[in-house]
Amino acid sequence: MALRACPALRHPIIPIAFPTVSRKPLFTKRSFSVHSSISGPTEARKLVLEVKKQLERDHPSLPIGKNGRDDEEMIYWFLKDRRFDVEEAVSKLTKAIKWRYEFKVSELSEESVKGVADTGKAYVLDSLDVNGRPVLVVVASKHFPSVHDPIENEKLCTFLIEKALDKLPPGKEEILGIFDLRGFGPENADLKFLTFIFDAFYYYYPRRLGQVLFVDAPFLFKPIWQLAKPLLKSYASLVKFCSVETVKSEYFTEETLPAGFRD
């Protein structure tokens, strides 16, 4: 989907499997808040509780429960993303939790996105790639920003991200995104939605996007990429331009290859 700019998650689980690594504190004005690494479960647990305490104190109106301000698994994930900086984790979590509540992410379902999903513009593959990652496929030639409601596109995108994350096997943390750019034309161009997708991963689903494949990108797509690339921050480094043959040979087996890439 040449894809519109966005202003881009689980129940407390105890104990959380925190990593055990050597500690190298980075001293700042709030020395407890920032760590380049942590010494083990005890320290990680302290940081999770610190974030939880701040969210309860400063943002009591945020929802609780799964994907809420007291979801310790979610808190830990955002702490990892922010290199165990408590203040940055609180800031990013606040934004993510508010967005989930206002966007009504928990209410999205197959039925609620059926109208736009039936276009075939995007879907989650039933099988995993060779690295054991769930796969989100976007078909650019079926995306028409002048026809489809932008909000409905964003709802479909969010629902499919959630669906892909639900398919993560034990021990896996990232998904693969594939943009099928064959047949892409000017009528499919949508820089704002492309930015929304990457913003969603950056702000609301951090560290969940492992790689993005731009498959058989036509010359017309290159100027759009040059405009989008600076907006995507570090996520631009996850993008790989490749051919259908590369997708077939490097990312799937004959049995798991998406139907659209079998021709």
Side-chain angles (χ1 to χ4, degrees):
M1 222 181 295
L3 311 151
R4 171 185 159 305
C6 173
L9 307 140
R10 303 180 187 256
H11 204 82
I13 296 178
I14 303 174
I16 299 171
F18 301 115
T20 301
V21 294
S22 61
R23 176 179 178 177
K24 294 181 180 179
L26 299 179
F27 295 99
T28 66
K29 291 181 180 180
R30 303 176 67 90
S31 60
F32 177 70
S33 299
V34 185
H35 299 256
S36 60
S37 58
I38 55 176
S39 60
T42 300
E43 186 176 358
R45 174 70 176 162
K46 287 172 61 179
L47 293 173
V48 167
L49 293 178
E50 174 68 12
V51 170
K52 189 175 177 180
K53 180 179 178 181
Q54 285 200 34
L55 288 172
E56 180 181 11
R57 181 188 67 217
D58 300 335
H59 305 281
S61 63
L62 290 178
I64 58 174
K66 183 179 180 181
N67 299 316
R69 60 175 169 79
D70 62 342
D71 186 330
E72 295 185 5
E73 185 177 16
M74 183 181 181
I75 289 172
Y76 176 63
W77 191 262
F78 276 71
L79 272 168
K80 280 207 309 181
D81 173 63
R82 295 293 86 194
R83 297 177 63 192
F84 296 94
D85 183 314
V86 168
E87 301 303 322
E88 289 191 13
V90 167
S91 176
K92 198 165 184 177
L93 270 163
T94 301
K95 183 174 183 175
I97 296 170
K98 284 182 177 178
W99 172 79
R100 291 186 65 90
Y101 176 75
E102 294 168 359
F103 202 68
K104 296 182 171 57
V105 175
S106 64
E107 298 178 20
L108 296 176
S109 65
E110 297 278 0
E111 186 60 31
S112 70
V113 300
K114 186 177 187 303
V116 66
D118 282 350
T119 64
K121 66 168 65 182
Y123 59 93
V124 173
L125 195 63
D126 289 336
S127 54
L128 307 176
D129 76 349
V130 294
N131 296 307
R133 298 175 297 191
V135 183
L136 173 55
V137 181
V138 174
V139 184
S141 63
K142 296 182 179 182
H143 177 69
F144 298 96
S146 64
V147 176
H148 304 146
D149 184 341
I151 296 300
E152 293 305 310
N153 286 330
E154 293 177 7
K155 288 181 178 180
L156 175 63
C157 172
T158 303
F159 173 75
L160 292 179
I161 292 173
E162 293 273 330
K163 183 176 180 179
L165 292 177
D166 283 342
K167 289 174 63 68
L168 282 169
K172 297 294 182 180
E173 300 178 338
E174 299 175 334
I175 69 176
L176 172 68
I178 298 180
F179 287 78
D180 184 353
L181 296 171
R182 292 172 295 175
F184 170 83
E187 68 278 8
N188 308 123
D190 194 347
L191 177 61
K192 288 185 176 181
F193 187 60
L194 178 62
T195 307
F196 168 82
I197 293 176
F198 282 90
D199 275 355
F201 279 106
Y202 180 82
Y203 292 110
Y204 313 133
Y205 302 95
R207 301 168 66 97
R208 291 302 196 182
L209 187 60
Q211 189 175 25
V212 179
L213 305 181
F214 283 173
V215 183
D216 280 358
F219 180 79
L220 176 64
F221 183 77
K222 302 302 173 64
I224 296 173
W225 173 242
Q226 292 307 313
L227 290 172
K229 189 174 180 179
L231 303 175
L232 305 185
K233 310 175 183 66
S234 61
Y235 274 58
S237 65
L238 300 179
V239 171
K240 175 181 178 180
F241 285 82
C242 68
S243 66
V244 171
E245 289 306 313
T246 298
V247 174
K248 291 180 177 180
S249 63
E250 297 184 14
Y251 292 89
F252 297 95
T253 65
E254 185 175 344
E255 292 74 25
T256 62
L257 185 68
F261 293 88
R262 293 181 183 273
D263 298 335

